[in-house]
Amino acid sequence: NHSYLPNIAQAWPVFTDPYYDAGWQYTVPYTVYTTGIAWRKDHVSENPYLMVNGWAFPWQARYKGKVAILDDYREAISLGLLMNGITDLNTNDPGQILTGQQALMDLAAMTGLRIDNTDRTDVASGQTWIHHAWSGDIAAVQQYLPKGVPVDVVGYWFPPGGQGPVANDINTVLHGARNPVLAHLFLNFMLDQANALTNIRQNGYLQPVKAITPERLVYAGILPRSLVSTAVLPTYFGHGLKELQLPVATDLFWQQAWQAVRSRRSNA
C-alpha cells in the first residue's frame, strides 16, 4: 500500500516498474550492488583498469595463495564466463557453462584459489590481495583495515561503463504479517534519506535514494574517494548484466559446474 510509503517517491525511477515486480506492487528496493574485483595496491603492481579484459585480473600465478573468489555459484561461474568474453550470465548453453567452469579450475590450479565470502575482512587484513568481490563489502573496507593502513591501498574494479553484474536486494511485507501497517512504516523509515545514509555508513551498501549520490557520500565522509568505483549508478540497471532465475535443468547444470570447481579446489 503506497499510501503508507511516502518516501517511496525518493527511490530511483528505475524501481517504479522493476523487471521482477511489474508496477512495484509487492516490493521496495533496499540495497544495490555490483560484483567486481578488489585488490591491494600495495601488494599488486598491476591495475585492472589498464587491462583489455579486467575480468582476467585474478588469473596471475605470481599471486599464488593470495587470490579468492566469492562462494556463490552464480557469481563464480559468471566470473569464468566474463573472463572468456561471454556476457550472457543466464546462459543455458552447456558449452559456455563448461567454459566458465574450466576457467575457474585453471584459476584454482594457477593460484591455489580460496573460495569465501569474507572479501571485506580478508582484503583489509592483507590475507587476500585479489578478491572477486561485492561492491558494498569493499565500500566498507575502511572499517576493517588495521590501524595505520590507509584506505587508498584498496582498489575496486568494475567496468566503467557498467557492463558487469548488477543487482539489488528488496524489502517486502509478508501476506500474513501480524502488523502490516507497522511493517509499511518500517519500509518507509528505511527509505528516509537520513536513515539510509546511516545504514550505508554502517554496512557499505548503497541504497537507491535519489538524493544519495556518490558525490554526497564522499562529501559526508561515508565513501572514500579512492573507492568511488564501488558506487552504483541508476544507469547500471539499464545496461548492466543481471543474473536472472534459470530453468530448473539449467540451474542444476550451473550448480554441478560449481561443485566441480569446489572439488578441484579441495583436491588442490
Side-chain angles (χ1 to χ4, degrees), residues 50-256:
L50 301 179
M51 298 176 63
V52 174
N53 180 7
W55 297 112
F57 190 46
W59 277 260
Q60 298 192 65
R62 65 187 295 188
Y63 300 119
K64 187 169 185 176
K66 295 296 184 178
V67 177
I69 63 173
L70 293 169
D71 189 1
D72 182 297
Y73 79 104
R74 291 294 300 276
E75 297 279 32
I77 296 296
S78 290
L79 174 63
L81 293 174
L82 290 165
M83 186 269 188
N84 281 281
I86 301 169
T87 57
D88 181 1
L89 305 188
N90 308 291
T91 181
N92 60 9
D93 183 335
Q96 290 187 341
I97 298 167
L98 290 175
T99 294
Q101 171 193 306
Q102 187 58 54
L104 297 183
M105 294 180 80
D106 292 344
L107 180 61
M110 181 185 300
T111 66
L113 183 66
R114 289 204 302 273
I115 298 172
D116 60 58
N117 288 337
T118 51
D119 45 350
R120 66 173 69 183
T121 54
D122 289 356
V123 170
S125 68
Q127 180 179 348
T128 302
W129 294 352
I130 300 176
H131 205 310
H132 181 217
W134 286 304
S135 59
D137 284 354
I138 305 307
V141 77
Q142 60 185 332
Q143 301 176 38
Y144 302 90
L145 287 166
K147 186 176 181 179
V149 178
V151 69
D152 59 9
V153 303
V154 178
Y156 178 78
W157 178 85
F158 184 74
Q163 296 277 327
V166 60
N168 66 284
D169 292 324
I170 60 172
N171 282 326
T172 189
V173 178
L174 298 181
H175 182 270
R178 291 186 179 182
N179 300 287
V181 175
L182 183 60
H184 278 75
L185 295 179
F186 175 73
L187 300 192
N188 192 60
F189 175 91
M190 293 304 294
L191 285 168
D192 176 82
Q193 178 181 319
N195 297 331
L197 284 169
T198 298
N199 195 43
I200 296 168
R201 186 185 296 275
Q202 292 298 318
N203 69 25
Y205 281 84
L206 184 67
Q207 289 182 231
V209 175
K210 293 176 187 175
I212 301 179
T213 63
E215 294 77 15
R216 173 75 182 277
L217 294 173
V218 171
Y219 180 79
I222 295 173
L223 180 65
R225 185 168 297 280
S226 60
L227 288 173
V228 74
S229 56
T230 62
V232 185
L233 302 179
T235 54
Y236 289 0
F237 286 88
H239 52 258
L241 308 179
K242 302 179 182 70
E243 298 168 16
L244 308 177
Q245 183 176 0
L246 300 172
V248 173
T250 300
D251 188 76
L252 179 60
F253 198 83
W254 275 70
Q255 294 194 48
Q256 290 172 339

